[in-house]
Amino acid sequence: MIKKIFIILLIYTSVFFGASASSKHSLSILEAGSTRSRGMMGTSFLIGNDSSAVFTSAASLMGVLRDSVNLNYTITSNPKDEYIFNASYAHIGSSYALGIGFASEINKINSYDASGIKKNDIYSGLYLINLGAAYAISESSFIGANVKSVINNSEKDNNFGVFFDLSYMQSIFTPSLKLGIGIKNFGFYDNVFSKVDTDISASLGYVKSDGSFSVTAQYTISVPSVTHNVSVGIEAMIIDFNKLGLFKEKKAWYDDLPETILDAPSAIQKRLAQKLPSGVLARLGVGNKGVSLGLSLYVDLFRLDYAIVFDNFSKDNISHDVGISFMF
């Protein structure tokens, strides 16, 4: 199964390598993420719990408890002329995970003729297709890889590019303490993509097994621009529906079997038996590029997220994110 996964990724790569590469944009779409991650200032490298992890760190897809779908929309300071959206899906197996994500960033440009009379609006867009796969080397270490194709559409021009990510996660000392390293957006260094940085990240985090609390720190160096990004994110359950007894606890499939015929459950069976967090969570993220706040409502298999981000600590550069997730 794992061989088939990576063969598919290899074929996908070879198809898009043949495309002509050119871009007039910064390709910020390569930084697509989830509302949850935005609420923690992008520090979700180690704590992916839905399909949107495919945008951040494919390795953390192994932390997703069920197959899931995630939808996100960003409301920027210019909502009438800028539309940012992404969607993702992840399938989780016993020792592997697969994810696919689509992201779009569309900008409306007002055009005028030589007399100053307004013409039809011009729409330019960036579109990202992201395929990711993760593999569990052991119960405490995961590896992941992404292939990302980018389409830049500006008027009549359609340009293509391909980028790659690699990520690795390891639990250290205890399952709750995690370490991760990753490299993102490498593959092109010609004149067209000379302004696109390759990001090298290291992350350290503590994550409670019941999902009620996590704190993560992340450091990223971007080359060749040699810029640095340091951020810390905290997530905490402020109202726990499970502890309040609002939802009946589901039995694991093997609870009613006699012990004499009970074999040890597999990794996927353990995953399906694990209780999902339900409640209200609050988030805070701070780093050298800004500060963010987030709030989520978890109800068993459903989640509703909100985040507000102050980029560069500026009140004039505020964006709002909303997202929903389903697991099944």
Side-chain angles (χ1 to χ4, degrees), residues 37-202:
S37 179
R38 294 265 291 167
M40 300 179 71
M41 211 57 203
T43 58
S44 63
F45 189 99
L46 296 169
I47 57 173
N49 64 0
D50 62 56
S51 60
S52 65
V54 73
F55 293 113
T56 307
S57 162
S60 65
L61 284 170
M62 291 304 302
V64 183
L65 297 178
R66 308 279 200 284
D67 286 13
S68 73
V69 172
N70 183 270
L71 305 172
N72 292 278
Y73 187 76
T74 301
I75 304 170
T76 67
S77 55
N78 188 18
K80 292 183 179 180
D81 298 326
E82 190 172 26
Y83 312 94
I84 301 173
F85 170 82
N86 70 63
S88 56
Y89 166 74
H91 170 67
I92 313 302
S94 57
S95 61
Y96 72 92
L98 293 173
I100 182 170
F102 170 79
S104 65
E105 182 177 336
I106 301 172
N107 294 280
K108 184 174 72 174
I109 302 170
N110 298 322
S111 61
Y112 301 87
D113 61 18
S115 302
I117 299 174
K118 192 176 183 306
K119 298 164 60 179
N120 292 334
D121 296 328
I122 297 172
Y123 289 88
S124 63
L126 285 168
Y127 307 94
L128 171 72
I129 298 175
N130 188 337
L131 285 179
Y135 178 69
I137 302 171
S138 67
E139 290 189 356
S140 60
S141 59
F142 312 135
I143 189 169
N146 291 62
V147 181
K148 300 184 292 188
S149 64
V150 183
I151 301 173
N152 171 19
N153 170 256
S154 180
E155 294 185 274
K156 296 181 180 180
D157 296 328
N158 288 287
N159 307 307
F160 299 88
V162 177
F163 296 86
F164 305 89
D165 299 346
L166 291 174
S167 52
Y168 175 78
M169 292 173 53
Q170 174 74 55
S171 295
I172 51 178
F173 307 124
T174 70
S176 296
L177 189 61
K178 302 176 186 294
L179 174 68
I181 54 174
I183 179 170
K184 296 181 64 176
N185 306 333
F186 66 92
F188 283 99
Y189 293 95
D190 58 17
N191 292 332
V192 172
F193 291 102
S194 60
K195 293 184 178 180
V196 176
D197 283 330
T198 295
D199 297 332
I200 303 169
S201 299

